[in-house]
Amino acid sequence: MAASAQPAQIAADSPALPGYGEIAGQVLGAPLIVDATVRSTATIRGAEAADVPPGRVRYYVTADVNALIRGTTGLPARIGYLVDVPLDFRGRPPRLRRERVLVFARPVSGRPDQLQLTGLDGQRPWSPPLDAMVRSIAREAVSPDAPPEIIGIGNAFHVPGTLPGEGETQIFLRTANDDPISLQILRRPNQAPRWAVSLGEIVDDSAGPPQRDTFLWYRLACGLPPELPESAIAAESPMTARVAREDYRLVLRDLGPCRG
């Protein structure tokens, strides 16, 4: 009976897994991602901790590097960095010694053993699911066929069909590397609208929407603007522009929030 309860205890002790969108943003914003084990901590007080957010304490952490997950240059075996960590449920500073962590950081010029965290959650407790998610995103981000960053919307148009309630909307996206991405929303009489995303010059209506918590989903959910810009539908009639806006909102609803 005790053996069967062990996995549940492990799961209960594991930190909650952050959302895919949150971690993808961290991975893309961190030149260095390090799997490390905390060797020691020193509490920073006084003027050097004046800007610490409420409910947190500032540590200088010395950590041993287990693996460099992302980075173009190597790291020494031991690194140091500042981190603002939450107080525990009793309002006391947590003990981090020997804790395994994932560190999202940037290098400090001229100090190869020193890192600067990229944000307030730049140090996260290590867990197998988080490690797998981070490594997967890091690999996909540098893949030659990775979906590019979306920087805006080019143009959009709606073509009504021959039957009432029939039509197709196409929305062409602007990307950081000029690779084409487009959205297609199909309407058929007495059917719910359905949409697809196409990567490349060829429009593929059968591709369907991206699966949630994938890199393509992240690019769309976190890169699309909240409304279809007027410049994208300037050449449309009032009727077709209205349908294009509705179809765009449908896509956003289906994608859901970036960091939900």
Side-chain angles (χ1 to χ4, degrees):
M1 195 69 174
S4 63
Q6 186 177 6
Q9 181 64 42
I10 293 173
D13 293 341
S14 298
L17 187 65
Y20 184 96
E22 182 178 353
I23 295 302
Q26 272 197 289
V27 169
L28 295 178
L32 297 171
I33 303 175
V34 186
D35 174 351
T37 300
V38 175
R39 185 177 182 88
S40 65
T41 63
T43 305
I44 306 297
R45 298 185 174 89
E48 293 180 330
D51 59 343
V52 175
R56 290 181 179 249
V57 62
R58 179 163 294 171
Y59 284 151
Y60 177 77
V61 172
T62 301
D64 295 325
V65 174
N66 300 321
L68 179 61
I69 296 175
R70 187 182 196 200
T72 57
T73 58
L75 286 177
R78 189 165 297 162
I79 56 174
Y81 55 88
L82 293 173
V83 59
D84 297 343
V85 295
L87 301 174
D88 66 17
F89 68 95
R90 298 166 296 184
R92 298 177 182 176
R95 296 182 179 181
L96 299 182
R97 188 170 180 267
R98 297 181 181 173
E99 182 173 335
R100 189 173 177 183
V101 294
L102 289 175
V103 180
F104 302 81
R106 60 179 64 92
V108 174
S109 179
R111 299 289 304 275
D113 63 331
Q114 298 296 301
L115 304 182
Q116 180 185 33
L117 301 189
T118 55
L120 192 59
D121 294 319
Q123 174 186 280
R124 291 185 178 274
W126 183 93
S127 70
L130 180 59
D131 184 272
M133 180 190 291
V134 167
R135 289 174 184 271
S136 174
I137 295 170
R139 284 194 302 269
E140 190 158 10
V142 298
S143 172
D145 58 352
E149 179 185 2
I150 295 168
I151 59 174
I153 293 179
N155 66 299
F157 62 87
H158 176 76
V159 179
T162 56
L163 300 175
E166 186 179 52
E168 178 177 355
T169 297
Q170 292 198 15
I171 302 171
F172 297 92
L173 310 181
R174 295 170 49 234
T175 62
N177 62 359
D178 293 327
D179 281 356
I181 300 182
S182 61
L183 307 172
Q184 301 80 43
I185 303 92
L186 298 177
R187 291 174 174 265
R188 296 290 183 264
N190 303 317
Q191 296 181 20
R194 58 185 180 88
W195 67 278
V197 56
S198 296
L199 303 177
E201 300 287 353
I202 299 175
V203 174
D204 182 6
D205 294 339
S206 65
Q211 184 178 347
R212 188 175 176 85
D213 293 350
T214 60
F215 201 61
L216 178 55
W217 170 86
Y218 168 78
R219 287 301 200 195
L220 293 171
C222 299
L224 291 175
E227 293 287 343
L228 196 62
E230 291 299 318
S231 59
I233 49 176
E236 293 294 286
S237 70
M239 185 277 288
T240 57
R242 176 183 58 80
V243 177
R245 291 191 199 95
E246 291 176 0
D247 287 345
Y248 183 72
R249 294 187 189 113
L250 165 72
V251 170
L252 294 184
R253 285 196 303 270
D254 280 1
L255 289 169
C258 167
R259 287 172 167 81

